[in-house]
Amino acid sequence: MGKWYGKIRKRHGLNLDGLCKHIASHGSLYTEDVVTGVMKKAKSCIIELVSTGAPVKIDGLGTFYPSMTSRGAESEDKYEVAKHIKGIRLRFLPEGGKDPEMSLNSKMFLKRVRLQRVARYEQPEEEGGEG
């Protein structure tokens, strides 16, 4: 007989506009269009900086940084970027944080999530279904 394991119940996520609307709904003095403008500029600047190799740390959230996997070459003069680089990825490292209530490390995040037991979890059949 097999074992039973926990599973994350995936909900429908938010895109940038949805996140901006959510931020503005928290009683911010900034309107949704101002939040959207700032977030879109932050997004493009993060991409620009990380693509040049500069990590971007957002205090209280974490750090965006690039990583790379590469095959070795016999010598420096035989190393070819197109041939030896296997992949470049954008990574995110959550911040541990000084304030345990806002920390995103694994132990503290486990305390923040809502856990529940359900008899059986069914994936929604269509994209617009309930999550």
Side-chain angles (χ1 to χ4, degrees):
M1 185 91 177
K3 294 183 180 183
W4 290 86
Y5 293 91
K7 183 175 181 178
I8 293 198
R9 179 179 176 197
K10 295 183 179 164
R11 299 176 55 203
H12 296 286
L14 295 176
N15 61 16
L16 184 62
D17 290 336
L19 176 60
C20 294
K21 182 179 269 189
H22 179 80
I23 291 169
S25 75
H26 279 274
S28 171
L29 68 109
Y30 301 107
T31 60
E32 184 181 330
D33 60 331
V34 171
V35 174
T36 301
V38 170
M39 293 291 287
K40 285 183 178 181
K41 182 55 79 175
K43 178 187 81 167
S44 67
C45 288
I46 289 169
I47 291 168
E48 173 191 351
L49 291 165
V50 173
S51 69
T52 66
V56 176
K57 181 178 187 232
I58 300 175
D59 293 335
L61 185 63
T63 303
F64 293 93
Y65 66 97
S67 72
M68 180 179 77
T69 53
S70 174
R71 290 189 256 280
E74 288 77 36
S75 63
E76 181 180 353
D77 59 319
K78 291 185 179 181
Y79 188 87
E80 297 176 38
V81 171
K83 179 180 175 184
H84 290 93
I85 292 179
K86 294 180 1 184
I88 297 177
R89 292 179 173 73
L90 174 65
R91 302 283 190 183
F92 178 75
L93 179 64
E95 185 172 306
K98 295 175 183 142
D99 179 5
E101 291 297 315
M102 297 305 290
S103 178
L104 292 174
N105 68 31
S106 297
K107 286 182 180 180
M108 295 310 294
F109 194 65
L110 178 61
K111 292 179 181 179
R112 293 181 60 87
V113 298
R114 191 176 115 209
L115 301 172
Q116 66 183 25
R117 182 182 173 135
V118 293
R120 183 179 170 101
Y121 174 67
E122 296 288 335
Q123 286 281 58
E125 289 185 23
E126 54 187 68
E127 187 69 21
E130 288 295 313

